[in-house]
Amino acid sequence: MKKLFSILPLLYTGFCFSQNTIEYANFIQTDTSVKWAAVYHSYVSLTPVNPNFSTRNYYLKKLNRQGATAYLEDTVSFAVTPLKISYAEYLSTIKPVNYDAAKMNWYFDYDNKHDASEIVFNRDSNACDTCTGSNKLSFFKVKQLLYYKANQFKIQNILLTPVIYKKEALAFKEEAQYFETSNFAFNEIKTDNVSIPAAAKFIGRSCNNLVLLPFVQSENKILTIHNWSLSNLLYKDIKKKILKAYNADNSVYPDLKNVLDHRRIEEYKNMANTLTVPEYDSLGEIKGYKTILSEINFDSIYNFTLIQDFYFDFDKEILYSKLVSLLPRIRVVTSQGVSLGLTNYWGVIFPEEKKKIIKKTK
């Protein structure tokens, strides 16, 4: 591995100055209709039911046959530099990464419909840190641009990075070792009005817990200066009846049958958080006591559950996402004083969303 790593600086130096850099987030600061935006990295499983639609196998075959276009990333200027690499050069980019709970936070059982993925992952074993095709599940690091514009939550995929996991059988994801590779499938974002083309194949559904804080994290950054709190923006628009909130206790999927009253949204999952305060008469004397709800500070809600469907256009090498569910997460305490920890709060129904539960694609 040391010899392979030594090639990487030469690759970077040789190609960085000979290719044009491409920016991918420059429209955010100039588009005044974008109220909130962030760049986010998450690990997702893109293991298709149909192996013919394996994005991982697609890139491995391409690298072995004629090479593939990879992208060197400049995280400071939000730009990439394209370069053509072979399979041997791809191997030289493999690097170990420490387990990061803020990034490697995918769910296997987000909709209470367990499939075999978690069992497959836990039973899987791989002792090779350069064998991308040895893993039974196809994991990728996906770099995304998330933003709230015109009362819609939009997702733009920017880069797709194959991930190798090295583990013993029956080890959980926290115990596995991870190796990131080259960046592929760059999507140069010129407009946000791009629909998923019919040629794009459905790859799979993923669920991640997002942590969206205002201070700069290792790889995740909020790009808007004035509005850092997405929760606060969503709450205000629900109160204005621009968005709808739904009860997510029985299902994480949006359902208009479970829409919450926007006038009483503060009460949802907040009934245990009450305060007893005195009431005074005109002379300033206490005449009794009343119970009120504690005020929820929406600026302090920065955890989210994001469920999305992924599609891949194999001709243009572009990854697309379709929003399925977005739910803020809060710390819930029951009326008996039992802490449930971080729990899905209300979910959000955005304008023009279909009036039915979004079912899992088969």
Side-chain angles (χ1 to χ4, degrees):
M1 284 298 290
K2 290 183 179 179
K3 290 183 179 179
L4 293 174
F5 277 119
S6 66
I7 303 174
L8 184 58
L10 296 177
L11 273 175
Y12 188 88
T13 304
F15 287 96
C16 187
F17 298 104
S18 62
Q19 302 289 327
N20 294 324
T21 59
I22 310 170
E23 295 181 352
Y24 54 76
N26 53 347
F27 75 95
I28 290 295
Q29 295 300 335
T30 58
D31 190 341
T32 56
S33 60
V34 175
K35 302 302 181 185
W36 175 92
V39 170
Y40 207 89
H41 294 74
S42 290
Y43 276 32
V44 299
S45 172
L46 297 182
T47 310
V49 175
N50 186 341
N52 293 325
F53 298 151
S54 171
T55 310
R56 179 189 68 186
N57 294 348
Y58 166 82
Y59 277 110
L60 289 178
K61 289 179 182 178
K62 191 167 186 176
L63 285 163
N64 275 301
R65 289 175 180 173
Q66 75 268 23
T69 300
Y71 298 88
L72 297 172
E73 185 181 7
D74 184 343
T75 57
V76 176
S77 61
F78 301 109
V80 298
T81 304
L83 68 155
K84 191 74 173 287
I85 63 171
S86 65
Y87 181 70
E89 291 165 336
Y90 163 81
L91 291 178
S92 74
T93 66
I94 295 174
K95 60 181 181 181
V97 290
N98 295 326
Y99 178 81
D100 183 353
K103 180 170 58 177
M104 304 162 185
N105 53 18
W106 70 88
Y107 287 65
F108 284 116
D109 57 350
Y110 50 89
D111 57 0
N112 296 321
K113 296 177 181 177
H114 301 271
D115 57 23
S117 296
E118 185 172 13
I119 297 174
V120 170
F121 180 82
N122 290 341
R123 289 180 178 176
D124 198 7
S125 61
N126 175 34
C128 176
D129 53 13
T130 59
C131 304
T132 311
S134 296
N135 295 141
K136 290 185 172 61
L137 297 183
S138 298
F139 273 90
F140 291 83
K141 182 178 78 170
V142 180
K143 183 184 182 74
Q144 297 182 313
L145 182 63
L146 313 173
Y147 57 102
Y148 184 56
K149 174 182 177 180
N151 309 116
Q152 295 283 348
F153 184 78
K154 295 180 177 290
I155 307 171
Q156 297 278 2
N157 296 310
I158 301 169
L159 290 168
L160 184 65
T161 307
V163 170
I164 302 168
Y165 58 87
K166 181 179 174 182
K167 64 185 290 292
E168 297 179 357
L170 303 181
F172 297 106
K173 67 179 181 180
E174 294 83 0
E175 303 167 294
Q177 294 176 275
Y178 299 92
F179 299 82
E180 295 178 4
T181 62
S182 305
N183 299 320
F184 299 105
F186 174 68
N187 185 3
E188 183 179 1
I189 302 168
K190 297 179 179 179
T191 174
D192 58 3
N193 296 319
V194 178
S195 58
I196 299 174
K201 304 299 183 183
F202 174 75
I203 302 299
R205 177 168 291 182
S206 76
C207 177
N208 289 80
N209 173 28
L210 309 186
V211 181
L212 301 171
L213 283 167
F215 55 79
V216 176
Q217 296 169 286
S218 57
E219 291 181 286
N220 306 323
K221 297 178 177 66
I222 292 179
L223 304 180
T224 38
I225 298 173
H226 300 294
N227 294 319
W228 75 263
S229 175
L230 177 61
S231 297
N232 210 5
L233 290 171
L234 297 176
Y235 167 72
K236 289 178 180 178
D237 283 343
I238 290 169
K239 294 292 287 184
K240 294 176 183 176
K241 300 175 66 174
I242 299 172
L243 308 179
K244 292 182 174 67
Y246 65 92
N247 183 331
D249 286 344
N250 295 325
S251 173
V252 293
Y253 298 129
D255 188 351
L256 286 174
K257 294 180 181 179
N258 294 324
V259 169
L260 299 168
D261 188 336
H262 69 282
R263 295 166 298 183
R264 303 179 61 184
I265 191 172
E266 295 89 347
E267 299 177 13
Y268 182 62
K269 293 190 177 179
N270 193 32
M271 297 306 294
N273 300 319
T274 58
L275 296 173
T276 301
V277 297
E279 289 186 288
Y280 298 91
D281 58 22
S282 58
L283 299 176
E285 300 291 334
I286 296 177
K287 64 177 183 178
Y289 294 86
K290 65 178 180 179
T291 301
I292 62 172
L293 289 173
S294 299
E295 183 178 353
I296 295 178
N297 180 9
F298 285 91
D299 281 340
S300 67
I301 300 176
Y302 49 82
N303 288 276
F304 293 82
T305 295
L306 173 63
I307 303 176
Q308 55 188 317
D309 284 343
F310 286 96
Y311 299 78
F312 190 72
D313 188 328
F314 288 89
D315 293 327
K316 297 182 178 179
E317 292 188 29
I318 297 178
L319 185 71
Y320 296 91
S321 283
K322 177 182 178 182
L323 174 67
V324 176
S325 299
L326 180 68
L327 310 97
R329 305 177 78 215
I330 60 171
R331 299 191 182 279
V332 174
V333 179
T334 67
S335 56
Q336 288 75 34
V338 178
S339 175
L340 302 180
L342 276 173
T343 306
N344 285 334
Y345 199 14
W346 32 257
V348 183
I349 299 178
F350 295 94
E352 300 180 3
E353 193 161 333
K354 292 182 180 180
K355 298 181 179 181
K356 63 179 181 180
I357 298 176
I358 302 176
K359 298 185 180 296
K360 191 170 184 178
T361 306
K362 297 182 179 179

